[in-house]
Amino acid sequence: MRLYKSIKKHDPAMRSCLEIILYPGFWCMFFHRPCHVFYKARLFFLARFFSQLARFLTGIEIHPGAKIGKGVFIDHGMGVVIGETCVIADDVLIFHGVTLGGTGKEKGPRHPVIGTGAIIGAGATILGRVKIGEGAKIGAGAVVVKDIPDGGTVVPEQSRIVGKQASTCSELEELKTRISELKNLVDDYQKMPH
């Protein structure tokens, strides 16, 4: 019921409760709960078998060892990867293409800890045992390798043009700036008493 409320809250396209069965985010959670129980019972093969079946059906890969709270909604979902020691609190919203992974350098807990109510944008990558605070927002395409405080926002570098067009664009911007400066000088000159 909590997942339904979360989906309804975050996705205005959902028109009826029956539509929940059409969301891959619903099915990956449906599979993850028993997989996590198998994992905790040290039935690793069964846990991995069913998690890989869920991955095949939904395009969302969640390691059965990951601890996921209630009301976590993975919207669209394709390409989401959640590592073994990841901890996700309640009511987190995750978009497609997100990676919650390790750096390959740590032992033991090596995946992110995501706080309650955090939002992780499409294509974001969070690596290592970093803590994402409650209500934090991670922008689409951001790469996070450091802790983010409660309510913090992370955005990726602004897009910029590179290559041959970049020099033309920068020259045009410089020309626009010079024209604006000249216009201001002319305006100032015309205001002066003669």
Side-chain angles (χ1 to χ4, degrees):
M1 186 55 114
R2 191 160 175 177
L3 179 58
Y4 168 75
K5 287 179 181 176
S6 181
I7 293 172
K8 187 76 175 151
K9 175 184 172 186
H10 293 295
D11 190 355
M14 185 176 193
R15 304 281 193 268
S16 72
C17 61
L18 188 59
E19 287 182 39
I20 196 169
I21 65 170
L22 303 176
Y23 284 81
F26 165 77
W27 288 108
C28 73
M29 289 299 130
F30 179 84
F31 276 97
H32 178 71
R33 302 297 179 204
C35 289
H36 188 66
V37 171
F38 292 147
Y39 183 85
K40 285 172 39 178
R42 303 186 63 79
L43 299 170
F44 300 123
F45 178 79
L46 276 178
R48 290 300 296 265
F49 177 80
F50 287 111
S51 72
Q52 290 302 303
L53 178 62
R55 175 181 176 238
F56 174 77
L57 294 172
T58 65
I60 300 168
E61 182 173 349
I62 304 175
H63 192 284
K67 296 176 185 171
I68 299 178
K70 296 177 181 171
V72 173
F73 175 37
I74 301 176
D75 197 4
H76 300 290
M78 186 60 74
V80 169
V81 177
I82 299 174
E84 178 182 21
T85 60
C86 193
V87 178
I88 302 174
D90 298 337
D91 302 315
V92 172
L93 174 60
I94 300 171
F95 287 94
H96 58 281
V98 167
T99 298
L100 305 177
T103 63
K105 297 177 182 176
E106 302 101 347
K107 300 281 185 215
R110 59 195 182 280
H111 296 99
V113 175
I114 312 296
T116 302
I119 298 173
I120 305 172
T125 301
I126 305 173
L127 298 175
R129 192 61 174 184
V130 298
K131 184 180 183 308
I132 306 302
E134 292 186 15
K137 294 175 182 68
I138 310 300
V143 177
V144 179
V145 292
K146 295 180 182 176
D147 291 353
I148 306 301
D150 292 351
T153 301
V154 176
V155 294
E157 182 181 337
Q158 184 179 358
S159 298
R160 58 189 171 92
I161 300 170
V162 295
K164 186 175 182 179
Q165 276 193 319
S167 62
T168 305
C169 287
S170 63
E171 288 171 10
L172 283 173
E173 286 302 315
E174 188 177 324
L175 188 58
K176 286 179 186 177
T177 302
R178 286 184 172 175
I179 290 171
S180 178
E181 289 171 354
L182 285 171
K183 185 179 180 298
N184 289 339
L185 282 172
V186 168
D187 289 345
D188 289 345
Y189 179 78
Q190 288 176 344
K191 290 177 186 175
M192 291 175 61
H194 296 356

